Amino acid sequence: MKKIHLPLIAILLFALNVRIANAACAPSFTASINNFVVTFTNTSTTTSGFPNKIISYWNFGDNTISSEKNPVKTYTSSGYKIVSLTMNDSFGCVQTFVDTILITAVGNFCNASFTKSFTGLSIYFQNTSKNTNGLAGGLTSMWDFGDGTTSVATHPTKTFATPGKKIVKLVIRDSVQACFATRIDTFYVHNASTCNASYVSSRNGMTLNFINTSTTISSVPNRVTYYWEFGDGTVSNLKDPVKTYSNQGAWNVVLRIQDSLGCSDVVSDTVFVSATGTNCKAAFSKSVNGLLVNFNSSSLNSTGFSAGLNYLWSFGDSTTSTQRNPVKNYLTGGPKLVQLTISDTTQGCFDTYYDSLFLVGPTVYCSARFQVGFDTTTPFQFYILNTSLIRPNSTFLWNFGDGGSSTALAPSHTYANFGSYLVCLTVSDSMCTSTFCDSVGMDSSGTLLKQGKFGFRTLDYTTLLPSTGNNTLNSKLEYSIYPNPTNSLINVELNLKNASQVKFILSDFSGKILLNKEMQAPSGLWSESINLSELQPALYLLHIITDEGIKMSKIIKN
């Protein structure tokens, strides 16, 4: 009979307690909407060693709940729904993820969505939103990064001042189709030195050997978890897997890592596999300077020389080159997939090499933008909110679509006859020119406003940049508002350093006060709901006044 030594049990229990303290979990989900039926897919991750013991708790925003992993929910009414998923794993890690979805009876709605690429505290947001026709054209975007800064860029890059939990909100709008949508995402950012996912690969015919070159400062290196996706539906959790493909071609390989400190990172790259007997070897290196990239081919034929090779480059933006060492000047930043195919007709060999790169464009010095809002006090009038990013010497040129124009910052205009008019605003200065266009002349359902005259006046909602072009907003008040747009309730969430008197003032654009609400709020995270169901569909202004600062936000009531 074996003896059990109690001191050893104590050591094991102590080790288990350490593991629990370092456990990390990250709830998330996606939603597939078909009229009133929503299929939720749980995409949460955890470092728990017992994934089958994860508890999921769903709140669907209509007083119904579920504990299923991937529930299917049928709503009984349309509108925006705030859905939360709380997960609790076997190590006691409890986290909540919140998102807003839009339910409509006919499926006619905008869809706000975006992806993220991390480089330390800097994040590139790729806007993947679509309008009711499934297209990205005509959409305006408003980003709220949860730290008092905002952006109207389509694909912004945001550098956070501190690591930790972040809540980012994207509101999209299509004034032609009169649809709005909001996407809220919660995630964590870490310093660049915390962890970094990376790998290299070597190929032998259809087999690839992947070498994990990821780095982490975790004090428990063996607690780093790996998850590979090879692009053909197969996966692995080995550190250095060997993969044999069944078919040749290009495959996107993704590596996700998470260490014992809760830091996670992801990297993706494209590999090319071909049957044995292809003896050419395509390869290249690159040097990047902003949007300018120098490519240098190091490709060799089957005898180990570059003589006699033909080159075909594809730069990932529909442009190509047949030069050996081309220089490419990209027009936009973001991720790029570059392909080099070489061939030697004398030796009858060919090969293809893929590599990805991420480009950061120059600082945005100006951005022309405006939004349309309804005038709740004057019939057949509406507002245009000039939300452009400008500099002190910026000039403006408005074209109203009927032959009229103006160079004022905030002009007014009256149309002689009703119709749909394309309004364009061009903002210019010595360093930048930006043009934005949108159509006006329809109400929220697309019906003509009236026969005869109608008009608008412009309100100045521009953001003035310093001469360097760097946009810095100084505000101590941390807040978020969701859902926005809304057809009934909005939730205002504040993160207060100290207990404070809070006042909410809601007004229309004529200055008429529609709500004045005051209360005492404790320190920390605190929220209050405001009922807008009695207000007619329009654009309103909400002032939030606290001891830590004052914020004004535009509220869209559907």
Side-chain angles (χ1 to χ4, degrees):
M1 179 180 296
K2 295 183 179 179
K3 295 182 180 180
I4 299 177
H5 298 281
L6 291 180
L8 178 59
I9 294 178
I11 293 174
L12 292 175
L13 290 177
F14 174 77
L16 180 59
N17 287 334
V18 172
R19 187 179 186 186
I20 293 174
N22 287 333
C25 58
S28 62
F29 63 83
T30 60
S32 175
I33 303 173
N34 184 12
N35 292 335
F36 285 104
V37 180
V38 183
T39 301
F40 292 95
T41 301
N42 193 327
T43 56
S44 305
T45 60
T46 176
T47 59
S48 168
F50 306 95
N52 59 334
K53 292 187 178 181
I54 297 174
I55 299 174
S56 300
Y57 180 84
W58 298 80
N59 188 322
F60 298 116
D62 63 348
N63 296 321
T64 62
I65 60 176
S66 174
S67 59
E68 297 180 16
K69 180 181 179 181
N70 301 303
V72 177
K73 166 66 179 176
T74 301
Y75 286 92
T76 58
S77 62
S78 60
Y80 286 91
K81 311 294 181 182
I82 302 175
V83 180
S84 65
L85 168 61
T86 300
M87 66 176 293
N88 187 344
D89 67 15
S90 58
F91 287 163
C93 178
V94 180
Q95 294 287 346
T96 299
F97 176 76
V98 180
D99 202 357
T100 302
I101 61 174
L102 175 63
I103 306 298
T104 65
V106 296
N108 245 354
F109 56 88
C110 292
N111 179 30
S113 62
F114 57 88
T115 60
K116 308 176 293 293
S117 298
F118 294 82
T119 306
L121 299 181
S122 182
I123 303 177
Y124 172 76
F125 293 92
Q126 179 75 28
N127 194 331
T128 55
S129 304
K130 300 292 187 292
N131 60 19
T132 57
N133 295 325
L135 304 175
L139 293 176
T140 59
S141 304
M142 173 60 73
W143 298 81
D144 185 339
F145 298 114
D147 61 352
T149 63
T150 60
S151 175
V152 294
T154 304
H155 309 292
T157 297
K158 166 66 179 176
T159 300
F160 288 94
T162 59
K165 181 180 179 181
K166 308 298 177 184
I167 301 176
V168 172
K169 179 175 64 177
L170 167 63
V171 178
I172 63 168
R173 180 179 186 277
D174 189 331
S175 59
V176 177
Q177 298 176 342
C179 71
F180 305 88
T182 301
R183 169 73 177 177
I184 300 175
D185 194 5
T186 303
F187 54 91
Y188 288 82
V189 296
H190 304 270
N191 290 316
S193 60
T194 303
C195 62
N196 179 54
S198 62
Y199 66 85
V200 295
S201 63
S202 61
R203 177 174 61 88
N204 182 12
M206 304 291 287
T207 299
L208 274 79
N209 292 272
F210 292 95
I211 306 300
N212 197 323
T213 56
S214 304
T215 58
T216 175
I217 62 171
S218 170
S219 58
V220 192
N222 61 342
R223 286 288 311 282
V224 179
T225 58
Y226 307 96
Y227 184 78
W228 296 80
E229 300 174 16
F230 297 115
D232 63 347
T234 61
V235 298
S236 173
N237 58 6
L238 298 176
K239 180 182 179 182
D240 302 306
V242 177
K243 167 64 180 176
T244 299
Y245 286 90
S246 301
N247 300 303
Q248 63 182 12
W251 303 97
N252 184 49
V253 177
V254 180
L255 168 61
R256 305 176 191 275
I257 68 170
Q258 186 174 51
D259 66 17
S260 59
L261 300 178
C263 175
S264 60
D265 194 24
V266 60
V267 63
S268 64
D269 203 354
T270 301
V271 299
F272 187 83
V273 295
S274 60
T276 56
T278 300
N279 298 319
C280 289
K281 179 65 176 179
F284 64 84
S285 61
K286 57 190 181 296
S287 61
V288 180
N289 182 12
L291 298 181
L292 186 67
V293 184
N294 290 270
F295 294 98
N296 292 285
S297 172
S298 54
S299 306
L300 300 174
N301 61 18
S302 58
T303 57
F305 297 97
S306 61
L309 289 178
N310 300 307
Y311 304 88
L312 177 59
W313 297 81
S314 176
F315 298 115
D317 63 350
S318 300
T319 63
T320 60
S321 174
T322 57
Q323 296 179 348
R324 178 182 178 182
N325 301 312
V327 177
K328 169 64 179 176
N329 191 4
Y330 286 91
L331 299 178
T332 60
K336 310 294 180 184
L337 178 63
V338 179
Q339 170 187 322
L340 169 60
T341 299
I342 63 170
S343 63
D344 188 329
T345 57
T346 302
Q347 298 179 345
C349 72
F350 71 95
D351 193 22
T352 300
Y353 179 76
Y354 292 82
D355 197 5
S356 60
L357 64 155
F358 186 88
L359 302 180
V360 178
T363 303
V364 176
Y365 291 101
C366 67
S367 178
R369 291 282 177 176
F370 61 82
Q371 296 179 346
V372 178
F374 294 98
D375 189 339
T376 60
T377 60
T378 306
F380 309 119
Q381 292 286 321
F382 58 89
Y383 294 102
I384 287 184
L385 283 67
N386 188 345
T387 57
S388 304
L389 293 177
I390 64 174
R391 299 199 307 145
N393 60 343
S394 293
T395 61
F396 307 88
L397 176 61
W398 296 82
N399 287 299
F400 301 124
D402 62 348
S405 62
S406 174
T407 58
L409 169 67
S412 297
H413 185 69
T414 299
Y415 292 95
N417 298 292
F418 185 76
S420 180
Y421 296 90
L422 185 66
V423 176
C424 292
L425 168 61
T426 299
V427 176
S428 302
D429 59 36
S430 59
M431 302 180 67
C432 165
T433 297
S434 176
T435 299
F436 176 77
C437 300
D438 199 359
S439 62
V440 300
M442 295 184 180
D443 64 15
S444 59
S445 64
T447 306
L448 300 182
L449 293 173
K450 69 186 290 282
Q451 301 296 325
K453 296 181 179 180
F454 70 100
F456 68 84
R457 68 187 182 96
T458 307
L459 303 178
D460 181 8
Y461 273 77
T462 57
T463 299
L464 182 62
L465 300 173
S467 58
T468 59
N470 295 319
N471 185 8
T472 302
L473 300 179
N474 183 16
S475 175
K476 298 180 180 179
L477 182 59
E478 299 180 10
Y479 79 107
S480 62
I481 300 175
Y482 60 91
N484 187 15
T486 182
N487 57 7
S488 56
L489 291 175
I490 60 170
N491 299 299
V492 182
E493 188 175 272
L494 303 177
N495 191 4
L496 299 172
K497 296 180 180 178
N498 301 290
S500 172
Q501 194 75 11
V502 178
K503 178 182 288 187
F504 299 113
I505 299 177
L506 184 73
S507 65
D508 60 22
F509 278 90
S510 69
K512 179 181 178 181
I513 295 178
L514 306 173
L515 178 143
N516 193 334
K517 191 174 183 180
E518 189 170 354
M519 63 205 69
Q520 183 70 24
S523 61
L525 203 60
W526 175 84
S527 63
E528 178 69 17
S529 297
I530 300 176
N531 191 351
L532 306 181
S533 59
E534 300 299 322
L535 299 179
Q536 68 181 44
L539 196 61
Y540 299 94
L541 296 177
L542 177 65
H543 292 77
I544 307 171
I545 304 173
T546 73
D547 296 339
E548 297 179 8
I550 300 175
K551 278 289 184 180
M552 183 186 70
S553 181
K554 297 182 287 294
I555 306 298
I556 301 172
K557 170 64 166 59
N558 290 338

